[in-house]
Amino acid sequence: MERRHLRYFIAVAEEGRFLTAAQRLPQHVTAVPQPADSCFESEVGVELLERQPRGVALTDAGKVFLDHARLALSQVEAAAIGARRIAQPQKPTLSMGFMVGLEGDLAPPLAAYPPRGPQDLVREIYVSSARTSPILHAVIQDYASKLGIVLKASYEGENISSAMSLVASTGGVTLVPLYAPTSSRCESPLQVATD
């Protein structure tokens, strides 16, 4: 069964009429051999639609098939989106965050500056957040290496929370995993495009 067949079946199931379903879909989707209900049913091997005086209704088997058809169609569409992302990757971004309570002080000066990239980190006081986490340290170093920069820690936090405290007290910067803003009471309202 082709994707256009699934789209057409879903439209028929939702509209309850072949004609209304055909009108809502592009022509290439509705080019399904007639009778359409026989086409679906012969491929699946059971009755999916029940003809009624004013349209069609789903059988119990049709209801189950509809759920799976929607899932299959969404999976195919997700696969296509994933392939396009790999073929044409989006420009990477760097999210910048700050401790809750400092946004009033930091947001206006940051907004006045041109967009910054990760290469600008080498000019800042860098606080390592990975003293007790060799995996996090390796990921950060790999990230820096791919950008062609070397991050030398001026301070080392025992963990993410202590690194965030050091950032607040020194005015430095740190790199933390994506989950850290929630767990460390940090906000990250700014996203900066990278090269």
Side-chain angles (χ1 to χ4, degrees):
M1 187 172 288
E2 297 176 30
R3 188 166 48 170
R4 66 190 175 106
H5 295 141
L6 293 176
R7 284 189 179 138
Y8 191 53
F9 176 80
I10 292 167
V12 168
E14 290 174 350
E15 297 293 337
R17 297 173 109 44
F18 290 105
L19 182 59
T20 311
Q23 291 172 343
R24 99 175 197 194
L25 296 169
Q27 184 63 34
H28 73 280
V29 173
T30 57
V32 176
Q34 293 296 325
D37 56 342
S38 299
C39 172
F40 301 133
E41 292 166 348
S42 65
E43 283 208 44
V44 178
V46 296
E47 185 179 335
L48 301 173
L49 300 168
E50 180 182 303
R51 288 191 178 273
Q52 297 181 336
R54 296 186 180 211
V56 293
L58 290 171
T59 63
D60 288 340
K63 292 174 185 174
V64 171
F65 184 77
L66 176 62
D67 289 340
H68 288 280
R70 286 178 173 148
L71 179 61
L73 192 57
S74 71
Q75 290 294 324
V76 169
E77 290 170 359
I81 290 168
R84 285 192 295 271
R85 280 188 188 147
I86 293 299
Q88 299 172 339
Q90 293 179 350
K91 193 170 185 180
T93 59
L94 170 68
S95 296
M96 295 176 63
F98 42 83
M99 297 294 289
V100 174
L102 298 178
E103 63 272 9
D105 296 333
L106 295 177
L110 287 174
Y113 290 105
R116 300 181 67 178
Q119 290 80 5
D120 293 323
L121 292 174
V122 297
R123 292 191 287 270
E124 301 292 336
I125 298 170
Y126 176 64
V127 178
S128 171
S129 62
R131 180 190 273 178
T132 58
S133 177
I135 294 173
L136 178 58
H137 179 72
V139 168
I140 290 171
Q141 292 306 317
D142 182 56
Y143 172 73
S145 176
K146 286 179 183 174
L147 295 172
I149 61 175
V150 176
L151 294 174
K152 294 180 183 175
S154 302
Y155 300 95
E156 290 189 8
E158 290 292 325
N159 51 40
I160 294 171
S161 295
S162 66
M164 297 300 287
S165 294
L166 283 167
V167 165
S169 63
T170 65
V173 298
T174 190
L175 298 175
V176 295
L178 195 56
Y179 62 81
T182 302
S183 63
S184 299
R185 298 180 48 85
C186 167
E187 296 179 4
S188 51
L190 305 174
Q191 285 206 334
V192 181
T194 64
D195 295 323

